Structure formats: structure tokens, C-alpha cells
Amino acid sequence: MFNFMKKKTKPETPEQQAQRDSAVDKALLSYHVGDASIATMVTGLERNDHELTLDLRLPHSSDPEVIQQELGQLLRPHGIEVIHMNVRLPAPPKASSASLPKSSATSMPKTTDAMAGSTQSQAARSDAEPAITKAAPTQASLAAHPRIRHIIVVASGKGGVGKSTTTVNIALALQKLGHKVGVLDADIYGPSMPTMLGVADVKPELENDQFVPVEAHGLAMLSIGSLLDGDNTPVAWRGPKATGALMQLYNQTNWPQLDYLVIDMPPGTGDIQLTLAQRIPVTGSVIVTTPQHVALLDAQKGIEMFNKTNIPVLGVVENMALHTCSNCQHTEAIFGKGGGEMIAEQYHVPLLGQLPLASGIRAQVDKGEPSVLADDEFANYYINIANNIETNIDKFAKPVDDKRIF
């Protein structure tokens, strides 16, 4: 995990890192499964900051869950906060049915054969070793945030469709309807919320080791862009580091009581989207697309991903639907027409709204005063979308555990 809060801590020297790695190695050597050290069962090992991934070949009588818990306690003092285990167990000893006790059929733990669907020669091997994999968390198993009533993600299958502009205006429109609203900029590689809300130079404060969201026109906003030095600082991180940053922005922020937290997602269906689906309790998603065919293809992928991760799709927003010439007032569907309606009908979800392709919308966000805030001629488009979101969102709300304590 990328720790934004320890800016004053000097990075580890190569000697310190070597000492930490040596301590982890010794701890693994000291942990025994049966009569053997678990170090002799490691077939692969990868360290990524505070995470450790182990490929293990364990005895068939082992309990991987217990081993994972005990290793977690053993390695935590050495800076390892998360352990991932990829486990293989040998096939049980062969024996005739007459010699097997009645209880033997249930003596082995349940396993998932990760090699299912591979070549026939592999499937036919009698000594094939099924892999043990821990099921990923599901939306149904995630508890609602105790201070946030609804979490909405605004997503698109591809970039360049106006997703961030739509996100910030939807958030402001929900606020204009009388709600307490926050914005989390999850577009780790291309954060734009600070600029669009006119707070690009404002840094979040720390209070009790938690971020205090930046106040932006009444919204509680947090973005990795608020933590970087300069607009041209790139975020050149691999997937685990980017997803770790997202979870830190969500978990280590002292969010106030909110009716809505609107999350601006990066384009695509990659690591960040999957991590969010497995670890953040989302009420529903909004898909932003343009009418053109290639944008609709990617929007469909986004909807399919949310369907597979059990996140309801609240509806589709068709951006850049029509353009009106500022000189002759001629209206033209530059990117085609009917795309948003078609995809909404195909997936049986509402078409939340259609937005024009207008230079005024772009100009307002560029100067940090989005259309809803400026109350210009385009504000009502977004307010209508916010009203449509409100119409059905309560039926998707997750029950809140008021007794939860951070």
C-alpha cells in the first residue's frame, strides 16, 4: 500500500530493506507445518512493499486458512500487512473403497480446481493437484460505510467520453437537491477533480492519521491529485500500487455524514474497477457513453463487468448527443444518435439523460466552476439526471451497521 501519510519518514535504505527481508525469511523458517518448515514448501515468493505473495505446496492434511492467519500474526511485526497464498495440495493417498473408513469422504477440505478447462492430458492425470483459492469478497458480503448512505460510481468503458465532467456535475446536482455529497476521485492515473472544482492548490489536512476531505463548493472531495506536487507529476504505478492508493483514499479519510459519495472511476475494466467491486460497498453505477459505435462497445463491457460483480447499474448517461452551431443554430448529431437509448433498452436500465456537445460545459469545468455551480443554460440537464438517479436508488441501498466502530 502506498502510504501518503508518512511523508516525513525517510525511505528504507538498501541495508534496512535487506534486514527486513532477512527477518521475514527467518520467520518463515521458524514456522512449521507438521514436522517441516514451511520454507521448504515455498515454490514461489514475491514481496511488494507491505504485501507478501506465497506459492505453496502443502501436505494434504493442512488447513490453508489457519496457516494464513498464523503467518499473518507472525510476519506483521516485520512489516508484512497482507499475505496472499496460492496453495496446492497433493491428491489423497489411493485406497480401495473397502479399506476406506466411512468418514474419509469428508476428511479432505473442499478445493477449487484452477486447472479445469485446460488440456485433456492434464485433466486425465490421476495425480493432478487441484489449487486452493480463496473466494474474492462479494458486494453482498461488504458492510455499508457507517457514515455514507449511498456510494455511486460513475464509469465508462473508454476515455474521452466526458465521464469526469459528468461526475462533478452530478455531484453538484445532488447537492443542489438538498443532499450532503462527497466526491472521491478514483482516476488514479488521470485525476481531474481538483482542477474541475477549483481547488487544485489545496492540500488535505491530517487529523488522527486520517485525511480530512478538501471542502470544494460544499462538497467533501479527495483526490490523489490533491496529494501530488504539481499538475504535471505522473502517477507511473503498477496495478497493486494504484489499487492500494484507492483503498487508502477511501478507508483512511474521515468522511463526514454523507447522503452520497460519488466516485469518479478511471476508464476501462481493470485492476482498480475490480478492487472497488470487491472491497467498497457500492449502491449502484452510472455508465457514461457517447452515441458512437466504438464508445457503445466499451460501455457494454462496463455494464457486463458491473453485472458480474453484482453492482446494480442505475442507468446510462449519453454525453455529446447533439451539437448546436453557435453561428447558425443548426443542430447535428455529430457522434450519431440513438446509441444511449439502444444500450439502455438492451440491458433494461433507464436512460438517465442526454447531454449536448457544448463548448460552454467544457469552459466551465476548465475554470473550476462546473455548469451546475454556474447555474448556466446546461445546469438543468444534470439536475434532471440527479432526479432520475434518486427515483430508484433507495431500493438498492445497503443496510447500515450503526454499531460499527472505526
Side-chain angles (χ1 to χ4, degrees):
M1 182 184 298
F2 190 84
N3 197 333
F4 300 107
M5 297 184 182
K6 295 183 178 179
K7 291 187 176 180
K8 295 182 180 180
T9 302
K10 294 181 179 180
E12 284 186 335
T13 64
E15 292 78 10
Q16 290 172 326
Q17 187 172 4
Q19 290 176 357
R20 187 185 71 170
D21 291 347
S22 176
V24 171
D25 290 339
K26 290 178 181 178
L28 290 174
L29 282 169
S30 69
Y31 182 83
H32 283 65
V33 178
D35 297 327
S37 167
I38 198 171
T40 64
M41 306 171 191
V42 175
T43 59
L45 183 150
E46 181 180 351
R47 294 174 190 145
N48 182 14
D49 207 2
H50 299 293
E51 297 188 13
L52 180 68
T53 301
L54 294 172
D55 297 329
L56 295 168
R57 190 184 298 272
L58 297 176
H60 70 84
S61 58
S62 305
D63 188 334
E65 293 283 348
V66 172
I67 292 173
Q68 187 176 32
Q69 293 174 8
E70 291 178 350
L71 282 178
Q73 296 173 358
L74 182 65
L75 297 177
R76 190 168 293 113
H78 304 299
I80 301 299
E81 298 175 0
V82 179
I83 295 178
H84 306 285
M85 287 174 36
N86 302 315
V87 178
R88 286 189 176 276
L89 299 177
K94 294 182 179 180
S96 65
S97 58
S99 62
L100 285 174
K102 292 183 179 180
S103 62
S104 65
T106 58
S107 61
M108 287 294 294
K110 293 182 179 180
T111 64
T112 300
D113 188 356
M115 301 301 292
S118 59
T119 62
Q120 293 182 355
S121 61
Q122 290 175 316
R125 289 176 51 190
S126 61
D127 59 343
E129 299 174 359
I132 300 292
T133 58
K134 188 175 181 180
T138 62
Q139 279 292 312
S141 67
L142 298 176
H145 193 289
R147 297 189 299 277
I148 302 173
R149 184 181 174 194
H150 297 299
I151 295 179
I152 298 175
V153 297
V154 182
S156 63
K158 69 187 299 293
V161 298
K163 170 186 55 61
S164 295
T165 300
T166 304
T167 299
V168 71
N169 276 296
I170 287 177
L172 288 165
L174 288 168
Q175 182 188 60
K176 198 160 189 175
L177 294 178
H179 300 291
K180 295 179 180 177
V181 183
V183 177
L184 173 58
D185 190 354
D187 195 348
I188 301 297
Y189 299 110
S192 55
M193 286 296 122
T195 299
M196 289 184 171
L197 286 168
V199 290
D201 298 325
V202 181
K203 303 292 183 184
E205 297 180 357
L206 288 177
E207 186 177 278
N208 297 325
D209 290 332
Q210 286 197 315
F211 293 116
V212 177
V214 174
E215 194 279 329
H217 308 295
L219 301 176
M221 189 280 300
L222 192 62
S223 167
I224 195 172
S226 303
L227 305 169
L228 300 175
D229 296 324
D231 293 337
N232 59 351
T233 303
V235 179
W237 292 342
R238 295 189 184 274
K241 202 135 189 172
T243 55
L246 166 64
M247 293 312 302
Q248 189 169 3
L249 291 175
Y250 172 74
N251 286 321
Q252 291 183 246
T253 298
N254 187 18
W255 297 106
Q257 290 288 341
L258 296 175
D259 296 312
Y260 292 93
L261 177 65
V262 185
I263 301 182
D264 182 31
M265 296 297 295
T269 54
D271 287 342
I272 293 178
Q273 287 83 352
L274 292 175
T275 295
L276 178 139
Q278 293 173 356
R279 299 176 65 182
I280 294 179
V282 178
T283 305
S285 59
V286 173
I287 301 295
V288 180
T289 185
T290 59
Q292 66 187 115
H293 179 64
V294 292
L296 294 171
L297 291 176
D298 289 327
Q300 288 175 308
K301 294 174 185 176
I303 293 176
E304 291 287 354
M305 184 200 71
F306 286 124
N307 287 341
K308 290 180 179 179
T309 54
N310 297 314
I311 293 177
V313 177
L314 302 176
V316 175
V317 173
E318 185 184 74
N319 197 18
M320 309 180 192
L322 293 171
H323 172 66
T324 301
C325 178
S326 57
N327 290 325
C328 68
Q329 303 305 308
H330 172 69
T331 299
E332 183 178 1
I334 293 177
F335 293 107
K337 61 181 180 179
E341 295 173 347
M342 180 191 72
I343 197 172
E345 182 178 351
Q346 177 183 350
Y347 286 96
H348 306 289
V349 297
L351 179 63
L352 298 173
Q354 294 172 297
L355 299 167
L357 174 61
S359 61
I361 295 176
R362 187 270 310 159
Q364 292 302 130
V365 293
D366 279 353
K367 66 179 183 180
E369 192 178 354
S371 293
V372 174
L373 187 65
D375 198 19
D376 62 15
E377 59 183 305
F378 307 109
N380 281 334
Y381 286 98
Y382 297 103
I383 292 174
N384 288 334
I385 291 172
N387 275 315
N388 290 332
I389 289 173
E390 278 197 303
T391 300
N392 295 313
I393 195 169
D394 279 334
K395 67 184 180 184
F396 301 114
K398 298 178 181 295
V400 176
D401 182 4
D402 295 325
K403 297 180 179 179
R404 179 177 168 186
I405 299 176
F406 278 103

